[in-house]
């Protein structure tokens, strides 16, 4: 009987008690309704208004916009009925509302009105054409870039962490490493391109070296800073309990320095990604940098913009994965700092 009541009257200062059904009711997602409507409006504009020129895949582009709008409307209407709060989708609600407006403006100034000069500016369906027709070459370029980045970043991170721990823990290591770091560190990794291509037997191995160099410097500096800033009381307590030198390094110093280490890993990922594009443009015969150079050589600006979008998504995805790794590794820090 209690669950059937909407609320109970307040008696003798006791607050009113709402029913369980009412407490679990999910509010209607108004932003989602507006966003879905705007996506459908963008689909209608792209599909109904004629293009100023003959662009391929305009109909497919309009259908894609309509599909996204329909899914958003379905989520907004079905959420309260099914009791789904859709927190992640609601979080991106304002972006889902603004993005189709940007697509409408982009479509208007390129495909519909041709206010921007061609071929330097292309409509959104031109990017869709690249993804549908040239995906084998673009996909192989993504795989080649990921392979090169993985090798260079892994080697640079491993060397950087090892060197940073050594500098922060042993004075003799710091004595010999400081001058080298001060000489090499400020120089951009791309400045070593001629030397790397001369010293290494292949352009691929030279590119791996440049990526490792770009990654290793920030990781080394931040790891060294983290080791040096560990509270000395931790070492005193561990020594009192009979900890060995190896235990102090592996179980005390490195775990306490991990927040600094992850900052260096984030910085190294950004610099290595920039070096990746330059290295692939100048020496490597595959990858997104090579694809960009090829597209520029043939004035295929749609392919170039499509590759740039893929690069942005790839870098963003890698940063997200690194954030997830940091959150999992430093779960103990959640209650101490603001994430």
């Amino acid at each position: 009987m209690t669950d059937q009541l909407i609320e109970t009257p307040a008696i003798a200062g006791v607050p009113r008690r709402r029913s369980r059904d009412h407490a679990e009711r999910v509010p209607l997602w108004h932003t989602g309704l507006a966003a879905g409507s705007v996506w459908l409006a963008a689909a209608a504009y792209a599909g109904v208004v004629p293009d100023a020129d003959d662009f391929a895949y305009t109909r497919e582009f309009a259908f894609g916009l309509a599909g996204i709008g329909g899914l958003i409307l379905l989520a907004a209407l079905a959420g309260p009925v099914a009791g789904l709060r859709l927190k992640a989708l609601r979080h991106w609600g304002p972006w889902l509302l603004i993005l189709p407006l940007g697509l409408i403006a982009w479509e208007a100034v390129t495909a519909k009105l041709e206010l921007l000069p061609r071929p330097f500016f292309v409509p959104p369906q031109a990017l869709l054409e690249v993804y549908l027709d040239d995906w084998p070459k673009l996909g192989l370029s993504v795989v080649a870039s990921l392979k090169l980045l993985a090798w260079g970043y892994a080697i640079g991170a491993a060397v950087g962490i090892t060197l940073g721990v050594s500098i922060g823990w042993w004075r003799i290591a710091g004595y010999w490493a400081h001058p080298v770091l001060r000489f090499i560190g400020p120089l951009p990794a791309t400045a070593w391109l001629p030397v790397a291509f001369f010293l290494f037997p292949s352009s691929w191995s030279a590119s791996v070296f440049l990526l490792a160099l770009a990654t290793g410097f920030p990781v080394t500096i931040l790891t060294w800073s983290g080791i040096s800033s560990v509270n000395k009381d931790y070492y005193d307590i561990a020594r009192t309990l009979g900890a060995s030198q190896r235990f102090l390094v592996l179980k005390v110093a490195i775990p306490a320095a991990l927040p600094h280490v992850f900052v260096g890993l984030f910085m190294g990922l950004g610099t290595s990604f920039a070096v990746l594009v330059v290295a692939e443009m100048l020496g490597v015969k595959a990858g997104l940098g090579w694809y960009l150079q090829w597209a520029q050589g043939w004035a295929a600006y749609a392919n170039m913009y499509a590759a740039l979008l893929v690069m942005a998504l790839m870098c963003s995805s890698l940063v997200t994965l690194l954030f997830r790794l940091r959150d999992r590794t430093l779960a103990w820090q959640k209650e101490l700092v603001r994430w």
Side-chain angles (χ1 to χ4, degrees):
M1 295 293 293
T2 304
D3 293 340
Q4 296 177 358
L5 299 176
I6 297 179
E7 59 184 21
T8 58
I11 301 175
V14 179
R16 294 180 177 180
R17 182 179 60 188
R18 295 185 177 274
S19 67
R20 185 182 307 169
D21 294 340
H22 184 79
E24 294 179 355
R25 185 176 301 170
V26 178
L28 185 64
W29 185 26
H30 297 285
T31 305
L33 293 176
S37 302
V38 176
W39 280 93
L40 292 178
Y45 179 75
V48 176
V49 178
D51 294 337
D53 200 350
D54 186 18
F55 294 105
Y57 294 103
T58 298
R59 180 180 300 177
E60 289 79 0
F61 176 66
F63 285 156
L65 295 178
I68 296 175
L71 291 176
I72 295 175
L73 283 178
L74 180 62
L77 295 174
V81 177
L84 302 176
R85 296 190 177 274
L86 304 173
K87 292 182 179 180
L89 197 60
R90 288 172 181 263
H91 172 75
W92 296 107
W95 279 102
L96 292 175
L97 183 59
I98 293 176
L99 185 58
L101 295 176
L103 290 175
I104 291 176
W106 183 9
E107 180 77 5
V109 298
T110 53
K112 305 304 181 185
L113 303 176
E114 285 194 328
L115 298 179
L116 298 178
R118 296 173 60 189
F120 305 103
F121 298 94
V122 297
Q125 52 263 43
L127 272 66
L128 180 62
E129 181 180 2
V130 174
Y131 294 136
L132 294 177
D133 293 347
D134 201 35
W135 65 265
K137 183 183 295 184
L138 188 58
L140 290 176
S141 299
V142 172
V143 173
S145 294
L146 286 175
K147 183 179 178 181
L148 181 60
L149 181 65
W151 275 99
Y153 185 76
I155 294 174
V159 173
I161 292 175
T162 304
L163 187 58
V165 172
S166 302
I167 295 174
W169 189 260
W170 291 286
R171 291 184 179 180
I172 187 65
Y175 173 81
W176 291 105
H178 282 171
V180 178
L181 288 176
R182 293 190 179 188
F183 176 73
I184 297 179
L187 299 177
T190 53
W192 297 91
L193 275 169
V195 178
F197 287 133
F198 175 77
L199 294 177
F200 287 87
S202 64
S203 58
W204 193 87
S205 58
S207 300
V208 171
F209 167 75
L210 294 174
L211 290 171
L213 184 63
T215 304
F217 178 70
V219 174
T220 300
I221 296 299
L222 269 299
T223 303
W224 165 33
S225 175
I227 296 293
S228 302
S229 61
V230 175
N231 194 336
K232 293 183 179 180
D233 294 338
Y234 297 163
Y235 301 131
D236 295 337
I237 296 173
R239 289 190 184 99
T240 303
L241 297 175
S244 62
Q245 186 85 350
R246 181 179 180 182
F247 185 92
L248 291 177
V249 175
L250 298 179
K251 301 297 183 180
V252 179
I254 294 179
L258 280 179
H260 292 77
V261 174
F262 273 100
V263 175
L265 291 174
F266 280 111
M267 295 178 62
L269 181 60
T271 55
S272 64
F273 205 87
V275 174
L276 170 70
V277 177
V278 177
E280 289 179 336
M281 281 184 173
L282 297 180
V284 179
K285 300 303 180 182
L288 289 173
W290 170 87
Y291 188 89
L292 280 173
Q293 189 180 33
W294 169 82
Q296 291 176 351
W298 288 95
Y301 292 99
N303 298 69
M304 186 182 69
Y305 296 141
L308 289 174
L309 181 58
V310 171
M311 290 172 59
L313 293 176
M314 187 172 73
C315 185
S316 177
S317 300
L318 293 175
V319 171
T320 302
L321 289 176
L322 193 55
F323 266 114
R324 296 290 177 85
L325 178 62
R326 184 209 65 170
D327 295 346
R328 187 177 182 87
T329 306
L330 302 181
W332 54 270
Q333 199 185 31
K334 261 191 174 180
E335 302 300 330
L336 301 177
V337 298
R338 181 179 179 180
W339 282 11

